[in-house]
Amino acid sequence: MPTNADSSLYPLTGLALTAKESERHFATLFNLSPNVVLLTRQTDGLVCKANRHFEVTFGWPLADCMGRTTLEIGLWGTPQQRQVVLDKASLGSEPASLEAQLYGRDGQAHEGTLHTQRIELSDGTYLLSTFIDNTEHKRAQRALQASEEKFARAFHSSPDAIIIIERATGRYIEVNDGFSRLSGYSANEVVGQTVFDFVIIADMLQYERLIQEVQDQGRIRNRELLGRDKNGDLVTVDVSVDPLTLDDTACLLITARDISQLKSAQAQIQHLAYHDSLTNLPNRALLMDRLSQQIALLTRHELRGALLFLDLDHFKHINDSLGHPVGDSVLKIVTARLEASVRLEDTVARLGGDEFVVLVSGLEGTRDEVIEHVHGLADTLRALLSEPMFLDGHRLQVTPSIGMAVIPDHGATPADLLKRADIALYRAKDSGRNTTQMFHGDMQKAASNRLRMENDLRQALSRNEFSLSYQPQVDTRGDRIIGAEALLRWKHPSLGDVPPHQFILIMEESGMVLDIGNWILEEACRAGSELLRKGLIDSHTFSLCVNISPRQFRQADFVERVERCLRQHGVPYHMLKLEITEGIVIKNLEETIARMLALKQMGISFAMDDFGTGYSSLTYLKRLPVSTLKIDQSFVRDATNDPNDAEIVRAIVAIAASLNLEIIAEGVEKPEQLAFLTQLDCHFYQGFLFSEPLTLDGFEALLRERVSR
Ligand code: C2E
Ligand code: MG
Ligand code: MG
């Protein structure tokens, strides 16, 4: 192996030098090359010489690889790779050039271009190779490509429409699949054209304003725009615009999202908030809104309007007995009839349940003329609604009660007007249903009286204002007292004695009847036990009668309550008789019967009060375990001078006989009434003729007097 005087040069294995100069020259070039230069022996790949760059690139100090072959130092991935290079290089005198992958000491692959040339030296054939390492460049290229792919994928798979346009011309540069889905145009159709060729923004003025805004503010976020798709249909889109520079060209990146569905859902929610879902009529909120508009409008034009507040009579009964689907159908038919009978500019609204309101506007004429007109209108509606309906094989007749108020005479605000129409409605119902009532100032007084009474009633119990009166019941045969009815009395602090018909209904409707009812039961039992204790009555021949309202009876723990009360006061169960009315059967007939049976099992009996004034349905009567019918006082009162009433009393007595029920007449004031009843074999009665309702002391005195007789 030749040695070299210049220590900075590596010796060339077996190289026969012809000139020292030439060698130095070559050696300098060799080491200065920015690329890898390597000299190997062709036969086995023995490393003969390599430059600095070889060391740096592949991590091999020359001393470590000299004397070893390129295969031994793992420069090639496989011997085949070297063979490929050998083959190429042996073909001609031109250098072979190819893309190759070489491996460094640490096993890292280096990609690059390999130039290899054969050179013949005196001691054999050698290969001189240079290698341009492109690893870094390739890696950067791959990263760029990956990022471009990632972007392209994001661009195309975005659910939103993404559009890139040239700012100056409005030319489409690129659009994604989302754009095609939204607009119906394919990328091929639009790219190269301008936004003016394909009008996808419904109003081009809007587009220009948008561009101006981007100019002023830099970008735009979430702007709602109306677009037009390929079919010409309008779509509501949410648009954002960002400036973007592509290849030195100012562009705009536009993203658009179809929010048509969102908008229509929003509109639907809006609709639901202002309409009733069953009938699709305006609801209370919308009615109030329109009413306030109307008040202003009518006042300005010196016109009048009217509010007609309708409520269907006994609608609850339809719902309870025929089921809610039938009830719903009735409401829909009523809706259709109402809508058909008013003008387009009038509003029919449903406030809920069976309550409807008709708002009539633009009525001309004097106040009296308008009132007359509204009366006529209400009568027409009433007649129309009363037409029979055929539903599910049922023939139904639904009558309305209607309360009316004139706008603006009866109120300056929507709330006032509605309240007054409601007051009139209440009055209409009160006066026998299927009627119409115009609001009147006096009604307001009655309504506020009712409100005051309700408030006063709430305090009556705690203020000890209630008491019970006892009205004896007698058997004409032997003039014997067979029982007494406990009747509630209220002594109002300023009004004095308030008649029950003025407060019982309020008590019932407000729910106070539950608390007050408990008190009545307790008080009656206390009185009963006292009379028993004093030996003034015999539990086997005396009935303690207590009125029970339907609501009170429906109390979940009613049976337990009654039982506990009797037990605590030591009143035998068989002494208590509960007076119920036919209203009790309106709801849950089966439950009512079960509850009555439970009480009957304990020995408690029932009287059907006010018989003849309600449904008087024999079907119900046969199923309810009542022992007594009470003929209502209205028939008793008139039986002696009204043949019709006499006939009714006769019929009631006959029913009682056929169902094997006891019968008692109430409200007997005159001897001739009693004579009429006795002649029908009705011997039990209650009335002023024998005695008015008495205080407990008064009743006790009466009993005492009779005992002493
Ligand atoms: P009702 O249960 O039918 O009671 C009979 C009513 O007729 C009583 O009226 C009684 O004073 C009255 N009366 C009795 N004899 C005669 C008579 O000869 N002529 C006339 N014209 N009337 C007579 P009252 O006490 O005013 O009670 C009216 C209604 O109030 C009762 O009718 C009942 O429905 C209800 N009520 C009274 N007390 C209670 C109670 O404690 N609880 C419940 N839930 N309702 C009650
Ligand atoms: Mg009664
Ligand atoms: Mg009665």
Side-chain angles (χ1 to χ4, degrees):
M1 181 177 288
T3 52
N4 200 304
D6 187 343
S7 61
S8 71
L9 290 184
Y10 297 104
L12 287 174
T13 311
L15 183 64
L17 293 176
T18 50
K20 207 143 187 142
E21 282 248 325
S22 156
E23 186 205 334
R24 188 166 293 127
H25 205 138
F26 174 72
T28 311
L29 259 179
F30 193 78
N31 250 359
L32 278 182
S33 167
N35 298 321
V36 170
V37 185
L38 177 69
L39 186 75
T40 53
R41 193 159 67 192
Q42 179 177 19
T43 48
D44 54 2
L46 187 77
V47 178
C48 303
K49 188 147 177 69
N51 70 347
R52 234 356 257 148
H53 215 78
F54 173 87
E55 285 185 302
V56 173
T57 303
F58 295 106
W60 280 112
L62 203 57
D64 290 354
C65 57
M66 291 295 281
R68 299 167 74 184
T69 67
T70 49
L71 279 172
E72 279 168 357
I73 64 165
L75 191 67
W76 303 102
T78 59
Q80 286 80 12
Q81 285 178 341
R82 174 167 187 268
Q83 196 52 52
V84 171
V85 177
L86 271 181
D87 292 346
K88 269 206 155 179
S90 60
L91 283 178
S93 53
E94 284 293 297
S97 167
L98 75 167
E99 292 304 305
Q101 207 164 38
L102 300 179
Y103 295 85
R105 191 181 191 177
D106 56 4
Q108 280 273 322
H110 293 257
E111 290 175 68
T113 317
L114 185 68
H115 297 276
T116 301
Q117 175 146 33
R118 265 192 315 160
I119 44 177
E120 299 292 342
L121 295 178
S122 57
D123 61 346
T125 311
Y126 290 82
L127 294 177
L128 182 63
S129 303
T130 62
F131 180 71
I132 304 166
D133 190 350
N134 285 330
T135 309
E136 275 314 310
H137 177 68
K138 288 239 160 111
R139 191 175 295 144
Q141 222 172 12
R142 263 200 305 272
L144 183 67
Q145 199 178 348
S147 116
E148 270 173 6
E149 269 168 24
K150 231 187 289 172
F151 171 75
R153 210 173 305 141
F155 182 77
H156 283 293
S157 64
S158 164
D160 296 340
I162 306 179
I163 308 156
I164 300 173
I165 59 169
E166 200 175 65
R167 195 164 177 159
T169 58
R171 197 165 53 85
Y172 290 100
I173 292 178
E174 197 155 358
V175 297
N176 71 345
D177 298 345
F179 169 83
S180 304
R181 278 193 300 273
L182 180 67
S183 68
Y185 292 113
S186 70
N188 287 339
E189 279 176 287
V190 297
V191 170
Q193 312 281 342
T194 71
V195 290
F196 303 97
D197 301 326
F198 285 93
V199 181
I200 55 162
I201 292 180
D203 176 5
M204 280 318 276
L205 257 176
Q206 269 188 330
Y207 173 76
E208 269 147 34
R209 237 175 283 142
L210 210 65
I211 299 298
Q212 187 58 47
E213 256 190 79
V214 177
Q215 197 94 36
D216 298 343
Q217 296 167 16
R219 61 183 218 175
I220 286 174
R221 282 278 158 272
N222 304 104
R223 179 66 44 82
E224 203 176 297
L225 282 185
L226 218 48
R228 197 180 288 284
D229 66 11
K230 194 175 182 179
N231 296 328
D233 292 333
L234 289 175
V235 270
T236 313
V237 284
D238 175 272
V239 172
S240 295
V241 184
D242 283 291
L244 176 81
T245 306
L246 277 188
D247 299 332
D248 293 332
T249 312
C251 296
L252 293 176
L253 177 73
I254 303 175
T255 51
R257 175 173 298 186
D258 184 353
I259 54 166
S260 306
Q261 273 185 346
L262 193 75
K263 291 290 284 183
S264 72
Q266 218 169 32
Q268 205 182 351
I269 290 168
Q270 186 95 358
H271 184 85
L272 285 178
Y274 283 106
H275 290 82
D276 162 53
S277 58
L278 177 70
T279 60
N280 209 25
L281 288 177
N283 63 9
R284 181 186 293 266
L286 186 53
L287 172 74
M288 295 310 248
D289 201 48
R290 294 205 181 151
L291 191 50
S292 63
Q293 282 172 13
Q294 278 303 315
I295 295 171
L297 208 70
L298 294 172
T299 318
R300 177 145 25 95
H301 296 287
E302 292 186 13
L303 289 170
R304 288 189 161 83
L307 264 195
L308 282 74
F309 203 141
L310 291 89
D311 184 296
L312 307 180
D313 302 331
H314 304 298
F315 179 71
K316 239 173 75 59
H317 193 43
I318 293 180
N319 252 346
D320 289 344
S321 55
L322 301 177
H324 284 273
V326 174
D328 286 353
S329 302
V330 168
L331 292 174
K332 285 181 186 163
I333 293 174
V334 167
T335 301
R337 290 184 182 178
L338 285 176
E339 283 192 312
S341 57
V342 301
R343 299 164 309 168
L344 218 57
E345 61 265 40
D346 300 333
T347 296
V348 178
R350 179 176 174 227
L351 299 195
D354 57 348
E355 291 182 342
F356 293 86
V357 170
V358 178
L359 164 61
V360 187
S361 62
L363 302 177
E364 289 178 51
T366 64
R367 179 188 164 121
D368 287 344
E369 283 166 350
V370 167
I371 285 180
E372 198 181 312
H373 176 81
V374 175
H375 268 295
L377 187 65
D379 283 337
T380 311
L381 290 184
R382 192 164 58 86
L384 205 75
L385 293 189
S386 310
E387 294 277 320
M389 302 176 182
F390 296 92
L391 274 177
D392 251 13
H394 299 283
R395 178 186 184 280
L396 293 175
Q397 191 174 19
V398 181
T399 57
S401 296
I402 307 180
M404 301 163 279
V406 175
I407 314 169
D409 306 66
H410 290 149
T413 67
D416 273 356
L417 282 162
L418 199 65
K419 197 170 86 199
R420 292 188 175 155
D422 191 19
I423 289 173
L425 170 66
Y426 188 81
R427 182 59 68 89
K429 281 210 173 285
D430 221 29
S431 56
R433 299 170 195 259
N434 194 11
T435 51
T436 64
Q437 271 286 348
M438 176 66 71
F439 175 78
H440 192 278
D442 294 347
M443 293 179 188
Q444 182 78 50
K445 227 181 285 162
S448 44
N449 276 346
R450 183 194 143 97
L451 203 68
R452 186 163 344 118
M453 190 150 288
E454 192 177 321
N455 285 331
D456 291 346
L457 257 180
R458 281 191 199 287
Q459 327 225 19
L461 204 55
S462 60
R463 289 187 185 168
N464 280 321
E465 291 166 7
F466 289 125
S467 63
L468 290 185
S469 280
Y470 299 87
Q471 185 174 38
Q473 300 176 335
V474 268
D475 182 351
T476 46
R477 298 162 298 191
D479 207 18
R480 203 164 49 85
I481 292 182
I482 54 162
E485 179 179 10
L487 293 161
L488 185 61
R489 295 293 174 257
W490 179 25
K491 199 174 187 67
H492 187 278
S494 58
L495 300 173
D497 286 323
V498 185
H501 73 259
Q502 283 184 18
F503 68 85
I504 295 280
L505 192 67
I506 302 176
M507 206 168 87
E508 171 97 347
E509 285 177 354
S510 63
M512 284 185 263
V513 76
L514 300 184
D515 282 343
I516 300 174
N518 289 338
W519 178 87
I520 293 168
L521 201 61
E522 288 282 339
E523 180 60 19
C525 288
R526 197 185 57 77
S529 76
E530 202 174 310
L531 295 177
L532 277 175
R533 194 163 40 80
K534 291 178 177 166
L536 295 172
I537 54 171
D538 174 351
S539 75
H540 292 284
T541 56
F542 185 91
S543 292
L544 178 64
C545 302
V546 178
N547 292 287
I548 300 295
S549 77
R551 189 145 173 192
Q552 200 182 347
F553 190 80
R554 281 198 288 270
Q555 243 176 319
D557 61 346
F558 183 70
V559 176
E560 293 75 19
R561 241 172 225 289
V562 172
E563 203 260 327
R564 198 181 328 127
C565 188
L566 289 170
R567 198 157 24 82
Q568 277 172 0
H569 290 282
V571 173
Y573 294 156
H574 60 260
M575 195 170 104
L576 182 66
K577 183 176 273 185
L578 300 179
E579 293 197 3
I580 56 171
T581 58
E582 287 165 294
I584 219 162
V585 302
I586 286 186
K587 244 191 193 170
N588 281 336
L589 181 62
E590 299 309 323
E591 205 182 309
T592 303
I593 293 175
R595 200 163 281 185
M596 286 176 77
L597 283 173
L599 290 161
K600 188 184 172 186
Q601 212 104 59
M602 289 157 48
I604 295 163
S605 60
F606 292 93
M608 183 59 85
D609 208 351
D610 305 339
F611 193 73
T613 59
Y615 307 96
S616 309
S617 157
L618 285 181
T619 337
Y620 290 150
L621 197 60
K622 272 192 213 157
R623 297 193 56 195
L624 298 178
V626 294
S627 63
T628 309
L629 288 191
K630 272 187 112 170
I631 309 173
D632 188 65
Q633 49 183 285
S634 60
F635 305 121
V636 174
R637 186 184 345 117
D638 298 328
T640 44
N641 42 42
D642 184 335
N644 202 33
D645 283 330
E647 216 35 64
I648 291 175
V649 173
R650 250 184 227 114
I652 294 175
V653 173
I655 287 173
S658 77
L659 292 179
N660 212 8
L661 302 174
E662 275 182 1
I663 189 138
I664 180 167
E666 62 181 355
V668 180
E669 297 179 356
K670 299 177 188 154
E672 54 265 39
Q673 291 165 340
L674 189 59
F676 171 75
L677 290 163
T678 347
Q679 166 225 315
L680 290 178
D681 257 352
C682 171
H683 303 286
F684 297 157
Y685 80 98
Q686 179 183 340
F688 296 166
L689 181 64
F690 181 79
S691 166
E692 292 198 4
L694 304 166
T695 60
L696 182 57
D697 286 346
F699 185 48
E700 216 183 296
L702 176 73
L703 290 172
R704 221 177 271 286
E705 180 206 334
R706 294 174 73 87
V707 168
S708 67
R709 257 203 279 150

